[in-house]
Amino acid sequence: MLKRADILLMAFCTGLIVANIYYCQPLVILIAQDFGVSETMAGKTTYLTQAGYALGLFLLVPLGDMFERKKQILVITGLAILALLLAAASKSFFVLEVASFLIGACSIVPQLILPLTANLSDDSNRGYNIGIVMSGLLVGILASRAVSGSIGFWLGWRAVYYMAAGICLLLIALMAKRFPKSFPSFKGNYAQLMGSMFSYIKSQPVLRETSIINFLAFAIISGFWTVMVLFLANPPYNYQTLQIGLFGIAGAAGALAAPLVGKLSDGGNPRQNLMKGFILQLVSIALFYFIGTAVIPFIIGIVLIDIGQQAIHVTNQTRIYTLIPEARNRLNTIFMSVSFVGASCGSALGLLFWEHGGWNLFCYGMTAIVVVNILIYQFYSRKKFNP
């Protein structure tokens, strides 16, 4: 049984480690200037990091059902430190691209902590506990942009990666002392472990639905945070890295909704939360398109799009954790790998929209993705399976 202090500690560590993936987003302008490449080219660091995260999820997270999770968490965090130092010391843009991919692959620890939380929670409060840890994760994602934007502005983008490496070193000591051990029940080998995941894709319609919907939802939120940097750096805003990073605080305010969403997912039909998330996404995109050149509506849109993302993600993650308790790491692997492939595709697609049609084309494209997600939701609503 987890105590509240345990949950808060897990949320704290989750937020600080997941931040590694998002530090690069406000730094795109500075990286472009340092290496003499275009802003669109520098933006590749965002989706390479997400692609690395997706691969790390697929190859490493399933091991949490096979090996002791605490030791796995400590080893992978150590590898993340090395990747962050490589990025900080990179002398060419190619090396930074490689480092960005490795940072993503070695920052999958939050997706080991979340199944650990689910395993040690009761059915009555699993959604709520997951929501608290997700709040830590989401605050880490969103606050990381404000932190990296500020530090990058004053000390340069490389200082951000040195800082992140130092934070991870401190977290290793903290997690080694305080994290509980968890011994999984899977007795097969790695090939059997990976093979079982594909059988779950075939046999679990809820897993298929949640993964597809999350793929598109992550494409939207990731595309937004990537393209937003370029939008704010150009007219009518012409903001610098410091100012752009501060917009992450608005998104962090929306992360407070995650425990509430998790609580609503305990019992009843949690799918009902998904439509609320889709509506919030559409409202936020409308704000960005029609009155996004005004600061206050733009900030309101940021809060709404992040609450909408949480409504979709926390609900879906709670749903998959109820399916097969002894396979939570593998189910989470499938779910989150697909989600971050969506994130990587969303960043790349967003940059493509921006390059060919600016902010307006980006808003059109994101609206189309939300509509497709609603159609998928309606399709699965007609299916007969446990929500």
Side-chain angles (χ1 to χ4, degrees):
M1 178 69 65
L2 287 174
K3 298 178 181 178
R4 185 169 181 81
D6 297 325
I7 296 294
L8 294 175
L9 174 62
M10 289 178 172
F12 176 75
C13 294
T14 295
L16 288 175
I17 294 174
V18 80
N20 294 341
I21 308 169
Y22 299 95
Y23 286 132
C24 61
Q25 290 181 347
L27 303 176
V28 167
I29 307 300
L30 295 176
I31 290 171
Q33 293 170 351
D34 191 8
F35 289 108
V37 299
S38 68
E39 293 174 358
T40 302
M41 177 66 73
K44 288 177 63 179
T45 57
T46 62
Y47 63 79
L48 283 171
T49 305
Q50 291 157 349
Y53 192 70
L55 183 64
L57 286 169
F58 185 75
L59 296 178
L60 301 176
V61 171
L63 294 172
D65 284 336
M66 191 173 176
F67 299 120
E68 199 278 309
R69 289 187 181 94
K70 179 178 178 179
K71 183 179 294 185
Q72 185 185 7
I73 286 170
L74 296 177
V75 170
I76 294 175
T77 304
L79 294 175
I81 293 173
L82 298 179
L84 289 163
L85 292 174
L86 178 63
S90 58
K91 300 300 182 183
S92 71
F93 185 68
F94 174 74
V95 173
L96 179 60
E97 289 179 301
V98 172
S100 297
F101 187 87
L102 294 175
I103 287 169
C106 297
S107 296
I108 51 91
V109 165
Q111 302 309 324
L112 295 171
I113 294 176
L114 279 163
L116 182 63
T117 304
N119 281 350
L120 298 175
S121 299
D122 293 333
D123 292 341
S124 61
N125 63 2
R126 181 171 294 114
Y128 180 72
N129 288 344
I130 290 171
I132 291 177
V133 177
M134 279 299 301
S135 282
L137 183 144
L138 292 165
V139 169
I141 291 172
L142 299 166
S144 65
R145 300 182 177 104
V147 171
S148 67
S150 301
I151 293 178
F153 178 80
W154 293 109
L155 300 176
W157 67 269
R158 295 177 189 274
V160 176
Y161 288 100
Y162 282 122
M163 172 205 69
I167 289 173
C168 285
L169 185 61
L170 292 175
L171 289 180
I172 285 179
L174 182 62
M175 293 186 295
K177 182 176 181 180
R178 294 292 304 274
F179 267 29
K181 290 188 176 182
S182 176
F183 297 95
S185 58
F186 185 82
K187 302 300 181 183
N189 56 38
Y190 185 69
Q192 292 170 329
L193 183 76
M194 299 300 287
S196 68
M197 291 200 300
F198 294 99
S199 68
Y200 294 142
I201 296 173
K202 182 178 180 180
S203 65
Q204 299 294 326
V206 172
L207 178 62
R208 293 196 297 272
E209 181 201 11
T210 55
S211 297
I212 294 169
I213 288 176
N214 249 50
F215 176 95
L216 296 174
F218 267 62
I220 291 166
I221 195 70
S222 180
F224 167 72
W225 281 106
T226 298
V227 176
M228 183 205 76
V229 175
L230 305 180
F231 178 60
L232 295 178
N234 286 276
Y237 289 105
N238 295 309
Y239 284 162
Q240 295 181 315
T241 300
L242 174 63
Q243 296 163 304
I244 293 171
L246 293 176
F247 277 80
I249 297 174
L256 299 175
L260 175 60
V261 173
K263 189 71 174 177
L264 293 174
S265 299
D266 290 327
N269 184 354
R271 291 185 79 252
Q272 296 173 353
N273 289 335
L274 298 178
M275 184 55 72
K276 299 171 185 176
F278 300 145
I279 292 171
L280 286 173
Q281 287 180 329
L282 289 174
V283 171
S284 63
I285 293 171
L287 286 172
F288 297 144
Y289 180 76
F290 290 108
I291 47 179
T293 54
V295 174
I296 299 303
F298 195 86
I299 291 174
I300 293 172
I302 291 176
V303 174
L304 293 180
I305 199 170
D306 278 293
I307 293 176
Q309 173 69 11
Q310 291 165 51
I312 295 168
H313 179 64
V314 176
T315 297
N316 279 336
Q317 193 149 43
T318 301
R319 291 172 69 203
I320 66 164
Y321 285 151
T322 64
L323 297 177
I324 308 172
E326 66 274 14
R328 283 185 174 128
N329 268 70
R330 282 165 284 169
L331 296 175
N332 194 50
T333 292
I334 298 165
F335 175 71
M336 289 306 302
S337 295
V338 172
S339 296
F340 270 87
V341 169
S344 181
C345 291
S347 292
L349 188 61
L351 290 169
L352 185 65
F353 287 150
W354 171 263
E355 189 172 9
H356 292 283
W359 187 249
N360 287 350
L361 182 59
F362 171 75
C363 291
Y364 296 148
M366 295 302 104
T367 301
I369 293 174
V370 178
V371 171
V372 171
N373 228 355
I374 291 173
L375 293 175
I376 292 170
Y377 170 85
Q378 295 295 343
F379 171 79
Y380 276 97
S381 293
R382 299 186 183 96
K383 300 292 183 179
K384 304 294 183 183
F385 54 77
N386 192 326

